[in-house]
Amino acid sequence: MTATAHSTSDRGPGEQPSLTLTAQDSLGISARTQLRPIHEISAAMGLAEDLIEPYGRGVAKVDLAAIGRLADCPAGKYILVTAITPTPLGEGKTTTAVGLGQGLQKSGRRATIAVRQPSLGPTLGIKGGGTGGGWSQVVPMERLNLHLTGDLHAVTAAHNQLAAMVDNHLHRGSPSGLHPERVTWRRVMDVNDRSLRQIVTGMGPAGGGAASNGPLQQSGFDITAASEVMATLSLARSLEELRDRLGRIVVGTTGDGEPVTAEDIKAAGAMTVLLREALQPNLLQTVEHTPALVHCGPFGNIATGNSSVVADLIGVRTADYLITEAGFAADMGAERFFNIKCRVSGLSPDAAVVVATVRALKVHSGRHRVVAGRPLPEEMLKESPEEVREGAENLRAQLGIIRRHGVTPVVAINAFPTDFASEHEVIAQVAAEEGARCAVSTHFADGGAGALELADAVAEAAEEPEAFRLLYRDEESLVEKIETIATEVYGADGVDLSPRAAKDLTAYTEAGYGRLPVCVAKTHLSLSADPKLVGAPRGWRLPVREVRLSAGAGFVYPICGTIQTMPGLGANPAAENIDIDAEGQVIGLF
Amino acid sequence: MTATAHSTSDRGPGEQPSLTLTAQDSLGISARTQLRPIHEISAAMGLAEDLIEPYGRGVAKVDLAAIGRLADCPAGKYILVTAITPTPLGEGKTTTAVGLGQGLQKSGRRATIAVRQPSLGPTLGIKGGGTGGGWSQVVPMERLNLHLTGDLHAVTAAHNQLAAMVDNHLHRGSPSGLHPERVTWRRVMDVNDRSLRQIVTGMGPAGGGAASNGPLQQSGFDITAASEVMATLSLARSLEELRDRLGRIVVGTTGDGEPVTAEDIKAAGAMTVLLREALQPNLLQTVEHTPALVHCGPFGNIATGNSSVVADLIGVRTADYLITEAGFAADMGAERFFNIKCRVSGLSPDAAVVVATVRALKVHSGRHRVVAGRPLPEEMLKESPEEVREGAENLRAQLGIIRRHGVTPVVAINAFPTDFASEHEVIAQVAAEEGARCAVSTHFADGGAGALELADAVAEAAEEPEAFRLLYRDEESLVEKIETIATEVYGADGVDLSPRAAKDLTAYTEAGYGRLPVCVAKTHLSLSADPKLVGAPRGWRLPVREVRLSAGAGFVYPICGTIQTMPGLGANPAAENIDIDAEGQVIGLF
């Protein structure tokens, strides 16, 4: 278990394993990958040809009829990939999910991967794509990171069609009684554009005539991933259920506070039609030809941060192992995976991989600070097993969250070239102290061959007796659910509701939304609600400012702290370096 | 030649020819059409399999390499479909283009059709789809009318990415010198939403910090079809040329009036990458399996209203006849087809079909008024060949426009069940008086079998000696070009430039844009700039309020009258009736 030992991988001739493989190489690796025909990939999954519809080179849509057609196939083991609290750089969760799938496949097991579709805005902004990287990525990456099959655009269209119909409804005298100052439905676009966060619409000629513009309103845009339509799409199990859920979306209230829904605005049917293809998961492959279902990408703070229920329902019947990934750390994505996504799907996870990196654990020691877009501080690159041990409190807490849901955790050390063996040893010791399996994985540089140890650890863990349990019952009150998550997941001493939050919770309960699960919107950079508190903060209370409703997706989300739902662009947006070369190939995308 | 005689067509068993076939039946016909595999369609066009990439059932993208690969194939006859000045209902131009293609095919000739992609906003608003109708339509219509392969969404993304980068550029201190009050680049969305016409962006916290929103700006949204990016995409001949054109887009000026371009903002590369697949034409088929290239849909007043140059460059080498369609009447779409699109493509049209309807000619008599969304006035349905003859002045003028470009016109009477034989006779007489061939076509009810007479007339016309000429030379001044179009195409006595328009023209000329062609933005409901003037108005002058620049697309567009670039929704938007049925099939879309 050292940071410099790399197993060989089946990379193409002339490709050398490289410890200094950078993110920029990922596009090159993707471009050089010889894609297998998508029908070969789907056939290996046991999907009949009529369930697969190609959408451009190396990409296909999977018909939802697959859920019924595969019902008699044995279910594979259902493996979640989650993480410790990340730095702003991310700790390679998607890359690990892809590498693990490849590792399982390389070790002779059948695996399918389910990941989220990256959002276009951040890809062109600062973050780069979200398809894994290096020798553990889903391809073709330039399609995946741009439009793919247009699902995000369909979400944008459905969301904004509802917005247009809401304003037209007001323009026509508001027959439903929707109050102009109580509209909560905003608009969305898949772009990083801070100018659109807060806008005023309906400027210019007023009144009800044909030449007049719409009602003067305060409004604004969120990024498409933050749309309630996206969250709704990711949780629907069928087109009919999607239709019902969309109809339940609340766009605002009457003067008396009665909810007005998309059904009342007569928009739900058209929205469903706009989302008909978007509800079908996209099938791609990894650079080692492991099947990868890429579908939906709801925000990880105000929504679940999980890929779709339908992708998992299909994927789990197509392999010995379905590897599915949840956004941010276990307190965020995994908690919603367990208590929202699994509650809807009825699936029970068999193991959960917790991705840990040396750099993030050093940050959790409280001695360093990492800023996105800047190089790591020099002193973080020095050998320091002590700092890793100090920061491991966060790892212990995240493992505890997995255990609390009755699931067996496995620690995956996502190895970096700058790591030291002594630092990996500490992580392994901590895992052992917590009773968890642990493996170093070099999948970024080595592909599946670098994840063989991890694959074995996961396979063992998945054989342990299943004891999955939800953290709370539907019948518990919304307040009780929030308190349970705050204390048992985040380690808070309790919850402080603002008067507004308390009023919101009463109103939702009275309106019949009290049985919904809860999706706490807080920072992903801390187990607490304060992004500056690293490690495993104790002696704090969760402050809830207000509570919002996502009736279509089917959860309420308490707002704790400042949540930005429309990113801005940096001083040097990634888009400035993206271009085509003389052969028309994409450059600068990573 | 009667309105009630219909030839038989090869419709499916149980399908009866119907004189009362309504638009609502079009979805049913589409749904019952047995699609041929798209590879069969492309093979019949002589396109090698590696040039075709399927994108969902019945749809494929065509690789631009086809242009080079087909260079040695003989060019087919290049046939434009245009029309008389339409009523607000439209006179069935797309339907006629589709029917003509089917008729040519049914008569043993090889035909390919090139049409525009419909815009999503109007489809969900008032207009219904734009794929033809009845037994002359392109299928699958529900994909065509919704997202198709996402080209419009790609245009939206590229346009708004530039907008975000422009505002970020200002937010970062405007290194190019772009003046905040001289930004002309707006945003786009493919929705009918009057509330977005005029907005204020960048509300909320100001300043240059990370938490601040963008600069406070007056802005607004146009519908995606009105985007300069759409016009640019439709006129590019290659990816490299698209890259160059996008770089030339002007987003505003410095305080000194110097143009600032997308290249200056460093956005053109990323925009090109976003449009890489969108530049490839989409291949579909008609209900009779005639190949149909569906690509781009720029606005017909502020832009060309023509489908893409690349679709025509490919299509003309794939058949004996390429039928291409241009928006609105001959004074609008055909004039731009000749003087902008053909100037770019280098292609020469061999004939032009002018679609005429009894109802529109009756409106041109000045005795009736048609309002979209309301039934035709009762008195318009009475037999009245006199009114048709009075209104035929418009037809004569439109035929003259075709002749002025050296192209042979053919009049297509798009027959309606409510027409009388005596009314068709008058149109045929007028055509004969103008020396033009004429045919009644019942393609809506009868498919290609109803367009056999028209197919023969077009085939004959296309054999006449070619004499195509552009109306003006690049070297003429912008003012001269506007005057030529106004007097020789619209029949105006001259042009009245406002002081601002004169200043605009001088500025564009000084900035080096004087060699560009001109795209006059005026109403499509009259040959004049006044939508109330029907027939062939005389004794009027074209008032130019201002002149705008579309440097990427490569034209300047004088604004004459009020041009609405963001539609609103009506009292009962079409979207309210669109839904899925119990089997998950789309209903209410037409």
Side-chain angles (χ1 to χ4, degrees), chain B residues 193-208:
Chain B
D193 190 345
R194 69 172 66 73
S195 292
L196 291 177
R197 287 171 184 161
Q198 291 182 43
I199 67 173
V200 174
T201 59
M203 306 285 291

Side-chain angles (χ1 to χ4, degrees), chain A residues 47-395:
Chain A
L47 291 167
E49 199 160 337
D50 66 313
L51 294 171
I52 298 298
E53 196 64 58
Y55 265 73
R57 202 174 70 97
V59 178
K61 283 274 185 192
V62 182
D63 196 307
L64 290 200
I67 298 173
R69 296 261 291 272
L70 295 173
D72 295 334
C73 298
K77 296 291 184 185
Y78 190 35
I79 313 295
L80 173 70
V81 176
T82 179
I84 62 169
T85 300
T87 69
L89 309 175
E91 304 317 310
K93 202 159 50 306
T94 308
T95 306
T96 304
V98 174
L100 171 58
Q102 293 181 157
L104 285 162
Q105 183 176 270
K106 187 163 277 295
S107 64
R109 301 158 174 120
R110 290 166 67 226
T112 296
I113 297 155
V115 290
R116 290 164 293 162
Q117 182 182 352
S119 184
L120 193 52
T123 297
L124 300 176
I126 190 166
K127 180 179 148 283
T131 60
W135 290 99
S136 289
Q137 58 172 314
V138 180
V139 286
M141 81 89 92
E142 68 277 22
R143 286 214 41 217
L144 179 45
N145 275 309
L146 297 171
H147 310 292
L148 195 55
T149 57
D151 295 348
L152 270 88
H153 296 315
V155 169
T156 304
H159 186 118
N160 294 335
Q161 180 65 30
L162 176 55
M165 291 174 80
V166 165
D167 273 3
N168 191 54
H169 187 84
L170 296 175
H171 185 67
R172 306 280 167 188
S174 193
S176 73
L178 176 67
H179 194 287
E181 288 172 18
R182 298 196 177 185
V183 173
T184 48
W185 195 250
R186 289 158 52 94
R187 291 176 177 82
V188 298
M189 199 183 289
D190 195 4
V191 65
N192 284 17
D193 190 344
R194 70 173 66 74
S195 292
L196 291 177
R197 287 171 184 161
Q198 291 182 44
I199 66 173
V200 173
T201 59
M203 307 284 291
S212 71
N213 289 348
L216 196 70
Q217 294 276 92
Q218 288 196 30
S219 185
F221 280 80
D222 301 317
I223 195 162
T224 300
S227 166
E228 181 176 340
V229 175
M230 173 62 89
T232 304
L233 186 70
S234 75
L235 288 167
R237 289 168 298 181
S238 68
L239 191 63
E240 296 68 37
E241 186 185 313
L242 177 64
R243 172 69 183 73
D244 290 344
R245 285 174 177 267
L246 292 170
R248 291 200 288 268
I249 286 175
V250 173
V251 299
T253 67
T254 64
D256 296 336
E258 291 295 316
V260 176
T261 65
E263 196 69 61
D264 297 328
I265 303 295
K266 299 182 188 165
M271 292 170 75
T272 307
V273 168
L274 286 168
L275 294 167
R276 212 164 58 124
E277 282 90 23
L279 183 60
Q280 301 174 341
N282 306 292
L283 177 62
L284 288 84
Q285 60 192 282
T286 73
V287 289
E288 296 182 6
H289 315 299
T290 320
L293 293 167
V294 180
H295 199 213
C296 296
F299 242 41
N301 42 35
I302 65 162
T304 57
N306 276 258
S307 66
S308 78
V309 163
V310 287
D312 285 6
L313 287 173
I314 294 170
V316 79
R317 303 271 175 185
T318 63
D320 303 324
Y321 297 86
L322 176 68
I323 315 299
T324 195
E325 170 228 22
F328 301 141
D331 61 312
M332 301 291 288
E335 187 275 308
R336 288 101 193 263
F337 171 79
F338 295 138
N339 295 303
I340 300 179
K341 189 178 180 186
C342 289
R343 192 181 298 257
V344 167
S345 71
L347 295 174
S348 294
D350 295 291
V353 174
V354 178
V355 177
T357 60
V358 167
R359 75 176 179 201
L361 290 173
K362 285 182 176 175
V363 167
H364 284 298
S365 74
R367 297 174 191 274
H368 305 285
R369 195 158 155 262
V370 167
V371 179
R374 294 200 204 144
L376 285 189
E378 276 288 330
E379 57 273 28
M380 271 188 72
L381 301 178
K382 293 182 187 151
E383 181 169 10
S384 179
E386 303 76 22
E387 288 177 2
V388 173
R389 179 164 283 280
E390 284 171 37
E393 288 308 306
N394 186 272
L395 173 59

Side-chain angles (χ1 to χ4, degrees), chain A residues 410-578:
Chain A
V410 176
V411 176
I413 302 174
N414 183 17
F416 280 65
T418 49
D419 295 350
F420 291 88
S422 63
E423 296 169 336
H424 287 179
E425 285 295 346
V426 167
I427 302 175
Q429 285 162 15
V430 170
E433 287 159 25
E434 298 294 323
R437 290 175 181 81
C438 178
V440 176
S441 191
T442 62
H443 50 271
F444 185 89
D446 296 315
L452 290 172
E453 193 190 338
L454 177 62
D456 287 343
V458 167
E460 278 176 38
E463 292 303 323
E464 295 202 358
E466 193 203 302
F468 172 63
R469 68 178 189 90
L470 300 171
L471 199 62
Y472 51 81
R473 289 168 299 113
D474 295 350
E475 295 71 29
E476 293 175 50
S477 73
L478 294 172
V479 174
E480 287 171 319
K481 289 168 187 167
I482 298 170
E483 282 176 342
T484 300
I485 295 169
T487 56
E488 297 192 28
V489 176
Y490 305 154
D493 291 341
V495 174
D496 290 331
L497 296 178
S498 75
R500 170 161 177 195
K503 201 177 133 201
D504 290 341
L505 287 168
T506 304
Y508 294 143
T509 304
E510 284 175 358
Y513 300 111
R515 288 175 58 92
L516 293 180
V518 163
C519 180
V520 177
K522 71 164 186 70
T523 179
H524 64 283
L525 295 172
S526 172
L527 274 157
S528 77
D530 179 352
K532 291 191 292 297
L533 300 182
V534 293
R538 294 286 160 194
W540 62 280
R541 297 177 63 82
L542 184 74
V544 180
R545 197 180 70 221
E546 60 176 292
V547 185
R548 296 190 196 151
L549 172 66
S550 205
F555 54 75
V556 296
Y557 57 108
I559 308 285
C560 309
T562 310
I563 305 294
Q564 183 56 264
T565 49
M566 172 53 94
L569 289 171
N572 299 103
E576 291 185 357
N577 301 312
I578 296 172

